[in-house]
Amino acid sequence: MENSELYQFLARNGSFFNAAAPCYSYGLPSATTAMQSFCSSSSYYPLEVSEITDTTQQDRALTALKNHKEAEKRRRERINSHLDKLRTLLPCNSKTDKASLLAKVVQRVKELKQQTSEITELETVPSETDEITVLSTTASGSEYGVGGRLIFKASLCCEDRSDLIPDIIEVLKSLHLKTLKAEMATLGGRTRNVLIVAADKDHSIESTHFLQNALKSLIERSDSCDRSKRRRVIDRKMMV
Amino acid sequence: MENSELYQFLARNGSFFNAAAPCYSYGLPSATTAMQSFCSSSSYYPLEVSEITDTTQQDRALTALKNHKEAEKRRRERINSHLDKLRTLLPCNSKTDKASLLAKVVQRVKELKQQTSEITELETVPSETDEITVLSTTASGSEYGVGGRLIFKASLCCEDRSDLIPDIIEVLKSLHLKTLKAEMATLGGRTRNVLIVAADKDHSIESTHFLQNALKSLIERSDSCDRSKRRRVIDRKMMV
DNA sequence: CATGACACGTGAGAC
DNA sequence: TGTCTCACGTGTCAT
């Protein structure tokens, strides 16, 4: 508060303060009363020299204000430099405004989080019943370079057989699907394969059904084989 | 500029304006001159009623100022809401300040970008010379839940042989390395395998050497085999 | 001209 | 105590 008074005084009497010391009003409702009473006090204008008693007090207040001003500027620069860094990391030019930039950042972090967890987390404990699930997801928007392709997560659980893997590879090859990650586990003669595959640009969401059907026919082929030798083995987990 | 004058006038004469209309100085060096000349003009204080000529002009200015104020508030809220969203997405409490939060965001986006590109991009064109490279990287900081494990990217290029894959699997199994992704390509009797493997918590950076040595012994085993049948085949690219 | 985005200086509060 | 962070209202510039 006194700082403002100092500013007013210095402005009217030719300040030694390097920066210009302007004098115009500034609405800040929450801090009104003190200044308002000051403004309406008879001593407000003109200011008498006798009121300036402690010069060192002024100096301290002025330097404090100056420090505050500069610290605040540094703080702003720090924040903005991080925002600029984010601008280079995301697909956007340097003119995108802060709010939109942060919106993009939020979206991007969410996507990457989902994508990595999806790639990283596989559940490969075989169940007793045959299962096929095919989930599709667009892994990061098309403008990001890394992804933009459709990602399928296919999980099939069925009776184990030796030529299952080659058959799966054949299916994926014929559908032009690129395997990002595959994990297989067998337990008690049953197997679960979890595949993370990326479609090329020809594919659309509809390819989900093609993949699902192809895998279904795989399992049916497996069913036609002999399913007599249901051996119980220890949890043999193998990763390819 | 006129808005400030209005504020001053209204403050001194009992404003109808809902918010309090304070009067104290406000330093803004870049916009000083006009206001300074206004302050020093004889008509500045006291203000005569004759100077207020156009009431509608006042109203327009006031509403404009009000709109401006509210719009700015909305803008702030928009930015801050995104920052809050980011606070929930990142491992940090709601008390972390903006700059630190944004620093974390920058770091996180970089990490995720590197991790996904590392997992997604494999180069599997075999070369004519034997090669082993093992790179290690911590995929996302340990506090993020998803990763925290050491990730190795191993690339080995050598003469093709039928039992290379089982041998590799055996090596990875013995080292307790979990395969996140594997890709193999053969061309002209030579093969390149690129593996992205994750170490469990027992491992440290030193495991890089174990992996490297194990793969080296693999290649040497391959060398001892017959390397006579150097057949030239078309680019047979197979993904597992 | 209105509308929006930004930097600025400032008071308040936390610590 | 001073130091840091934040919200605020404002001037300015661009669209």
Side-chain angles (χ1 to χ4, degrees), chain A residues 126 160 184-190 230-238, chain B residues 173:
Chain A
D160 198 9
M184 192 256 277
T186 71
L187 173 64
R190 291 193 61 80
R230 174 73 83 97
R231 71 237 132 114
R232 206 85 199 172
V233 294
I234 56 172
D235 189 356
R236 165 170 69 92
K237 194 160 188 176
M238 184 183 114
Chain B
K173 207 185 282 187

Side-chain angles (χ1 to χ4, degrees), chain A residues 9-212:
Chain A
F9 169 75
L10 294 168
R12 260 180 266 101
N13 295 282
S15 169
F16 64 89
F17 193 57
N18 55 356
C23 163
Y24 57 93
S25 84
Y26 163 40
L28 186 60
S30 63
T32 301
T33 44
M35 282 315 301
Q36 208 146 18
S37 61
F38 170 74
C39 286
S40 57
S41 75
S42 62
S43 66
Y44 174 51
Y45 196 86
L47 207 56
E48 286 152 30
V49 187
S50 64
E51 293 187 349
I52 310 302
T53 52
D54 196 353
T55 316
T56 66
Q57 193 107 357
Q58 293 179 37
D59 286 353
R60 300 212 339 186
L62 264 185
T63 53
L65 189 58
K66 187 156 161 268
N67 286 341
H68 183 29
K69 199 198 302 185
E70 291 168 351
E72 186 63 17
K73 184 166 179 61
R74 280 194 299 273
R75 175 179 164 269
R76 276 195 300 265
E77 288 171 347
R78 200 156 9 120
I79 293 177
N80 284 334
S81 79
H82 287 141
L83 288 176
D84 285 339
K85 233 174 282 172
L86 284 174
R87 261 182 262 264
T88 69
L89 258 52
L90 291 192
C92 67
N93 55 0
S94 61
K95 293 293 289 176
T96 48
D97 65 277
K98 295 184 186 178
S100 316
L101 170 66
L102 287 176
K104 275 178 199 269
V105 170
V106 168
Q107 185 196 347
R108 186 94 171 101
V109 169
K110 273 187 187 168
E111 277 178 0
L112 289 174
K113 206 171 183 174
Q114 190 222 5
Q115 184 179 351
T116 54
S117 74
E118 197 155 286
I119 290 181
T120 306
E121 286 170 17
L122 295 181
E123 183 53 64
T124 49
V125 178
S127 64
E128 289 294 317
T129 55
D130 286 359
E131 287 174 21
I132 298 180
T133 62
V134 179
L135 301 176
S136 68
T137 148
T138 60
S140 67
S142 55
E143 67 269 35
Y144 293 133
V146 172
R149 298 172 299 181
L150 230 52
I151 302 269
F152 296 112
K153 173 175 179 173
S155 168
L156 74 160
C157 182
C158 62
E159 208 68 16
D160 198 9
R161 59 184 172 94
S162 58
D163 52 350
L164 186 63
I165 302 281
D167 285 355
I168 290 176
I169 291 178
E170 200 56 41
V171 162
L172 297 179
K173 208 185 283 187
S174 70
L175 286 177
H176 295 115
L177 293 170
K178 175 174 168 136
T179 306
L180 295 182
K181 191 187 172 193
E183 190 168 307
M184 192 256 277
T186 71
L187 173 64
R190 291 193 61 80
T191 182
R192 182 187 291 277
N193 283 59
V194 182
L195 310 161
I196 306 294
V197 295
D200 57 20
K201 44 206 164 295
D202 310 331
H203 285 83
S204 67
I205 280 289
E206 277 73 28
S207 303
T208 311
H209 305 306
F210 290 119
L211 180 55
Q212 183 129 20

Side-chain angles (χ1 to χ4, degrees), chain B residues 120-167:
Chain B
T120 306
E121 287 171 17
L122 297 181
E123 182 54 61
T124 48
V125 178
S127 64
E128 289 294 318
T129 56
D130 286 359
E131 286 175 22
I132 298 180
T133 62
V134 179
L135 301 175
S136 68
T137 147
T138 61
S140 67
S142 56
E143 68 268 37
Y144 292 133
V146 172
R149 298 173 299 180
L150 231 52
I151 302 268
F152 297 111
K153 173 176 179 172
S155 168
L156 73 161
C157 183
C158 62
E159 209 68 14
D160 198 9
R161 60 186 171 93
S162 58
D163 51 350
L164 186 64
I165 301 281
D167 285 355

Side-chain angles (χ1 to χ4, degrees), chain B residues 185-199:
Chain B
T186 71
L187 174 62
R190 292 192 59 81
T191 182
R192 182 188 292 276
N193 283 60
V194 182
L195 310 161
I196 306 294
V197 296

